[in-house]
Structure formats: C-alpha cells, structure tokens
C-alpha cells in the first residue's frame, strides 16, 4: 500500500509538470517571472496591440478603460495581462474568482470597497453564481448595485453607487458565458498557444531572472517540449535547472535539458506519462478505436474528467487523437509516435469521423 501511495504521488508530481494550472507555492514563483508592462510581454502580438490602444485612449481621456474579457486555455497569461492593465493605468488591482462569489452579497461587498479607477480581476468568471452575475450586469453598465435588505414582502432594495471601475474577466470556457454578460465587455481578447520561438524568448528571459545559465540549444529544447504554454515552459526550466545543478556543472545545455526532461518523462513533443498512456492503450489494447472516453479512462486508471480535460485537448490539438460520435480514435501520428505501424484505414477513418463529429 505504501509503495502504491508513493507511485501515485510520483505520477501526480510528473503530471503537474505539464499541467497548465498553477497551484500552491508555484503562484509565488510565477509572480516573480511575470512581465510588468505590455512592452515586456512576449507573443500575443495582436491582443497586445489592441489592448495597448484601449489603455492609451483611456489615459488620454482621463477615464477608466472599458471592461476587458480575456479568454483562452490556462497558463497563457490572462492573469498577467490583468496585472499589466492595473500597472499601466497606475491603479490598484483587486483579485477574486468566479467560484468564490457564491452569493450576490459577496459581489456587493467587493464592489462597495472599490475606488475610482480600480481594476477588478475575476478569474474563471463563467463559474460565478447566477444571482451575482445578474448583479454584475448593473454594476458594469450603470456603476451601481441594488442591495436588498430583509426578506419577503418587507424587503427593501437600497441603491448603492459605485465609482467607475474596470472589470477584467478571465475564462477558459468563453462559450459558457451568457450573452448579456459577454456583451457588456468593451474589449474581448482571445489568447492563443505560443509558438516555439516565442517560448524560446520566454525561457531566456526567465533564465535571466532566475540566474540560470543556459545555451541557445538548451533553451530551444525546453521551449519545444512546453506544449505552447509559458507557464509550463517556466516550470520545466526550473526542473532542468535543478538537474543541471545536481548532476551537471550548472549550465543548461542541450544534453542536460534532454536528460532532465527524459527523467521527468516529458518527451520531445511535450507528451507526459498520461498522454502516452492514453494513446498507448488506444492503439495497443483497442486497435486504435473508436473507444468511449469512460472506457479509455478506466483503462488508464484515471477519472473520466482527467482524461477529457487534461490529456485530450493537447492530444487533439497535436493530431494524435480524434473525437468522433462513436468514441475516441487514434490517428496515424499516434501510432507512429509509439513506434507502431498504423493500420491502413487509420488516417481516413479518423478524418472522416472527425468531419461528422457532433
């Protein structure tokens, strides 16, 4: 039992290396690596330029910027951009999250403490409770909320004026936002996955802040295995730094980076143990599919949600997996990545079924 617990803990640690979410002490480390201004941001050139215009126009008018909605997968810099907005406007930033606002009163308490021009950042805004969401409509549009005192027929609504502020909402699932809320944002920016050369620049910048000596080849190797996500790039850089410090001369070279990332089971394309387990089971045990996601989850010993939300998006985006109405299908790329010969019908079947995906 003890050995099984150790194996589970080790697997969880390895998986966290390529997880896009940040947890625990990592948030403090992330804060030290975040860019402070729009000029320091690498990548996201279109969003950066558009947001810069919004902020500059607001500064010239002497008013708070329009409300901003930032969408995209985890780890791409939504929180960082919210902090930059507050920094560029020289105003305080207040942070909260959708799940933390369970009642309208929670939101009213936050809004009542806002000052003129403050920036309120709400992470995972799509998970906010419906009563709070409806209160937010009026706050965003009219800068006031109605606080209800009492219950039943004797309840009284007291209007509460709020100084003009800027709401920055972040979401990983923009489709779950109701239309009335989405329409109240003056600017919407969608963050895309980063290109390897952009992640290379981020790794170099972070290495300077962390005092890590690395070669160009070493930085490129880390960037190529970072799944298009800066958070993962910075995380892998810290683990490679540890390896270089303990088992090498402290310099992150190409060989050191490869050895370290192989040790942590992050392969040359960024696939981790769970990713490889999914395509391995799909190819070797089920002949490439189609297989239902629940069956696939049981076969790899994980919860359905873990396979569906952690492994599948990356595998689908990189062409290893196709979602079809009949189940998950391994593509030819998945077979080849495992060193297997794909069946002759694999590629056409995956493409054909993916076209008719519901």
């Amino acid at each position: 039992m003890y050995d099984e617990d150790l194996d589970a803990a080790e697997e969880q640690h390895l998986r966290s290396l390529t997880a896009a979410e940040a947890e625990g002490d990592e948030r403090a480390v992330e804060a030290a690596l975040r860019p402070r201004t729009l000029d320091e941001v690498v990548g996201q050139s279109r969003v950066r330029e558009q947001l810069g215009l919004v902020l500059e126009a607001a500064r010239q008018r002497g008013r708070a910027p329009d409300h901003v909605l930032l969408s995209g997968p985890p780890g791409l810099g939504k929180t960082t951009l919210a902090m930059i907005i507050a920094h560029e406007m020289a105003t305080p930033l207040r942070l909260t999250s959708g799940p933390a606002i369970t009642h309208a009163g929670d939101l009213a308490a936050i809004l009542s403490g806002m000052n003129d021009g403050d920036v309120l950042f709400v992470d995972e805004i799509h998970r906010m409770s419906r009563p709070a969401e409806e209160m937010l409509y009026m706050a965003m549009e009219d800068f006031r909320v109605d606080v209800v005192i009492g219950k039943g027929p004797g309840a009284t609504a007291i209007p509460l004026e709020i100084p003009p502020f800027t709401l920055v909402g972040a979401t990983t699932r923009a489709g779950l936002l109701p239309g009335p809320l989405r329409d109240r944002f003056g600017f919407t920016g969608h963050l895309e996955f980063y290109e390897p050369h952009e992640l290379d620049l981020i790794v170099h910048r972070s290495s300077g802040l962390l005092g890590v000596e690395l070669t160009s080849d070493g930085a490129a190797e880390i960037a190529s295995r970072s799944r298009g996500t800066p958070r993962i790039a910075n995380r892998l850089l810290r683990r490679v730094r540890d390896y270089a410090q303990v088992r090498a001369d402290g310099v992150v070279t190409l060989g050191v980076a490869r050895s370290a990332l192989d040790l942590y089971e992050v392969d040359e394309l960024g696939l981790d143990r769970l990713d490889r387990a999914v395509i391995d089971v799909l190819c070797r045990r089920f002949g490439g599919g189609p297989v239902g996601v629940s069956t696939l989850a049981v076969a790899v010993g994980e919860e359905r949600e873990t396979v569906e939300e952690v492994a599948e998006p990356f595998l689908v985006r990189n062409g290893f997996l196709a979602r079809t109405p009949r189940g998950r299908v391994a593509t030819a790329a998945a077979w080849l990545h495992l060193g297997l010969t794909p069946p002759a019908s694999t590629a056409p079947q995956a493409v054909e079924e993916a076209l008719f995906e519901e």
Side-chain angles (χ1 to χ4, degrees):
M1 178 65 72
Y2 182 67
D3 290 339
E4 291 178 358
D5 291 343
L6 282 178
D7 291 342
E10 180 186 3
E11 183 172 352
Q12 180 62 36
H13 169 68
L14 292 174
R15 187 183 310 150
S16 68
L17 288 176
T18 53
E21 293 81 5
E23 297 181 357
D25 296 339
E26 187 179 9
R27 296 182 185 276
V29 179
E30 269 195 358
L33 301 178
R34 295 184 192 276
R36 299 290 190 269
T37 66
L38 281 176
D39 291 337
E40 294 180 5
V41 175
V42 175
Q44 310 296 343
S45 56
R46 181 60 59 89
V47 172
R48 192 172 71 243
E49 182 179 3
Q50 293 171 344
L51 188 56
L53 288 173
V54 171
L55 299 181
E56 179 60 30
R59 278 195 296 266
Q60 292 182 8
R61 292 193 300 268
R63 300 180 58 183
D66 286 344
H67 304 300
V68 175
L69 177 64
L70 301 172
S71 65
L76 299 188
K78 297 185 291 295
T79 303
T80 296
L81 285 178
M83 293 179 174
I84 288 175
I85 290 172
H87 182 270
E88 297 275 358
M89 299 305 298
T91 58
L93 175 68
R94 300 173 183 266
L95 296 94
T96 187
S97 66
I101 304 175
T102 57
H103 305 285
D106 299 333
L107 180 62
I110 295 172
L111 294 175
S112 63
M114 299 287 288
N115 296 315
D116 191 10
D118 282 1
V119 175
L120 173 63
F121 175 62
V122 182
D123 197 12
E124 295 299 300
I125 193 171
H126 64 271
R127 297 175 61 187
M128 185 183 299
S129 69
R130 181 56 58 86
E133 187 180 282
E134 292 175 351
M135 174 180 283
L136 191 58
Y137 296 161
M138 185 179 296
M140 294 174 67
E141 203 161 58
D142 302 327
F143 297 110
R144 73 180 183 90
V145 294
D146 290 335
V147 180
V148 179
I149 305 298
K151 295 182 179 180
T156 303
I158 301 176
L160 176 65
E161 298 295 328
I162 303 170
F165 70 98
T166 298
L167 173 68
V168 180
T171 178
T172 56
R173 306 183 69 179
L176 296 182
L177 282 177
L181 178 58
R182 191 167 51 245
D183 293 344
R184 283 170 168 78
F185 286 97
F187 171 75
T188 299
H190 181 75
L191 276 59
E192 304 286 351
F193 285 102
Y194 287 64
E195 296 296 328
H197 71 274
E198 295 171 335
L199 291 172
D200 194 316
L201 294 174
I202 291 173
V203 170
H204 272 99
R205 177 182 180 275
S206 297
S207 68
L209 295 173
L210 294 172
V212 179
E213 186 178 352
L214 83 168
T215 65
S216 297
D217 289 343
E221 186 68 16
I222 295 173
S224 68
R225 303 194 190 197
S226 298
R227 304 165 75 110
T229 306
R231 178 178 290 156
I232 296 176
N234 287 330
R235 186 184 297 146
L236 294 182
L237 172 63
R238 297 197 301 274
R239 298 292 70 79
V240 173
R241 172 197 60 183
D242 296 344
Y243 183 95
Q245 177 182 330
V246 175
R247 298 193 178 179
D249 59 0
V251 180
V252 177
T253 62
L254 175 60
V256 168
R258 284 179 175 172
S259 298
L261 295 173
D262 289 344
L263 175 66
Y264 287 113
E265 300 188 59
V266 180
D267 71 17
E268 65 276 6
L269 296 181
L271 275 69
D272 62 12
R273 181 189 294 181
L274 176 61
D275 300 322
R276 289 192 300 275
V278 169
I279 61 175
D280 187 82
V281 164
L282 191 54
C283 294
R284 296 181 193 271
R285 193 174 303 178
F286 297 107
V291 179
V293 65
S294 297
T295 302
L296 198 57
V298 171
V300 298
E302 291 287 351
E303 297 292 332
R304 174 191 172 115
E305 291 76 14
T306 302
V307 172
E308 203 166 21
E309 297 177 12
V310 176
E312 277 194 357
F314 181 69
L315 293 174
V316 171
R317 180 165 61 89
N318 286 272
F320 293 107
L321 192 72
R323 290 175 173 173
T324 75
R326 292 197 296 152
R328 275 48 176 175
V329 176
T331 65
W335 289 83
L336 295 173
H337 188 70
L338 297 174
L340 304 174
T341 302
S345 60
T346 297
Q349 177 186 358
V351 173
E352 181 182 353
E353 295 198 11
L355 290 175
F356 290 96
E357 182 179 357
E358 292 178 343

